[in-house]
Amino acid sequence: TLLRIIASAIVTSTTQAALVVYNMDTGGTLSSPASSVSANLAASDFTSPGYSMSYITGVSGNAVNEFGWEQADQPNGQYFTFTIQPDSGYRMDISGFSFAERAPGPASMAWALRSSIDSFASDIASGNLPSNLPVFFTYSVPLSYANLNAPVEFRLYAYYLAPFGSNWSVDNVSIDGTVSAVPEPATVQLGLALCGLAILRRRRSA
């Protein structure tokens, strides 16, 4: 039908899946590469600038286990980070962020998620984690970012609460969403023209 022609002219291919996943099963003391990346998307390594990363047994496989987190009343300069970016001619919608965490040391931990979308000015989500946690806890954050065509950096800040010591383990970091091709101007104009034609035919037949 004409409406299907209009839809196919305007909407291009879209990938619905996890955009990027970091399972921490490979990597070194400086960074851990993404274990899967959606088509038409680039992802940096998962890293902690200025700090060496170690690994322990995670949910399945390895997890990043970072020492040296500081005590503070709010997230400070130490964080885990990674960046995702759609390829040229594509855009991404981001619908969710999830990760597994535990505090294997004697200190309870607090964390906060921020992004470059607002220059890391505010927390997207935050939470506390008790010390000596025997299992990983998975936390999911719903997001609603649309039509992004520039790089987006995510940061997981953390700091310990009490009584002393500071190590924090993170595993299975995942960003959900879609990647789609940006329609060419000529394609958009064709779609608008077809929409106008459909409206005109309906009026004539009314």
Side-chain angles (χ1 to χ4, degrees):
T1 66
L2 184 58
L3 291 178
R4 289 181 178 176
I5 294 174
I6 294 171
S8 63
I10 297 176
V11 179
T12 54
S13 60
T14 300
T15 302
Q16 177 69 52
L19 296 182
V20 60
V21 176
Y22 296 88
N23 62 20
M24 314 304 176
D25 290 346
T26 60
T29 58
L30 296 180
S31 63
S32 184
S35 52
S36 67
V37 182
S38 178
N40 306 309
L41 189 76
S44 71
D45 287 356
F46 187 90
T47 186
S48 183
Y51 295 85
S52 296
M53 298 197 305
S54 60
Y55 298 84
I56 64 170
T57 300
V59 176
S60 94
N62 294 331
V64 169
N65 182 49
E66 177 87 45
F67 292 89
W69 303 98
E70 299 177 5
Q71 186 175 22
D73 294 327
Q74 61 184 2
N76 51 47
Q78 190 172 353
Y79 53 85
F80 289 126
T81 180
F82 67 94
T83 300
I84 60 176
Q85 178 180 3
D87 294 344
S88 177
Y90 289 84
R91 62 191 177 193
M92 60 183 176
D93 296 343
I94 298 176
S95 59
F97 180 103
S98 63
F99 69 103
E101 61 169 345
R102 64 176 289 224
S108 56
M109 300 292 296
W111 61 269
L113 173 67
R114 298 181 181 181
S115 84
S116 60
I117 292 176
D118 69 347
S119 299
F120 313 105
S122 59
D123 295 345
I124 299 171
S126 60
N128 296 337
L129 200 63
S131 62
N132 298 308
L133 195 66
V135 296
F136 278 83
F137 173 76
T138 298
Y139 197 93
S140 297
V141 180
L143 302 176
S144 183
Y145 299 133
N147 297 320
L148 302 171
N149 57 13
V152 176
E153 179 185 355
F154 287 94
R155 293 179 180 178
L156 274 170
Y157 292 82
Y159 56 97
Y160 76 91
L161 300 174
F164 54 84
S166 54
N167 65 313
W168 185 45
S169 302
V170 173
D171 197 7
N172 293 347
V173 176
S174 177
I175 293 286
D176 295 326
T178 60
V179 177
S180 58
V182 177
E184 295 292 337
T187 302
V188 175
Q189 291 175 2
L190 174 60
L192 293 175
L194 291 173
C195 285
L197 179 60
I199 293 172
L200 181 61
R201 286 185 175 179
R202 286 183 177 180
R203 288 178 176 176
R204 288 180 175 177
S205 61

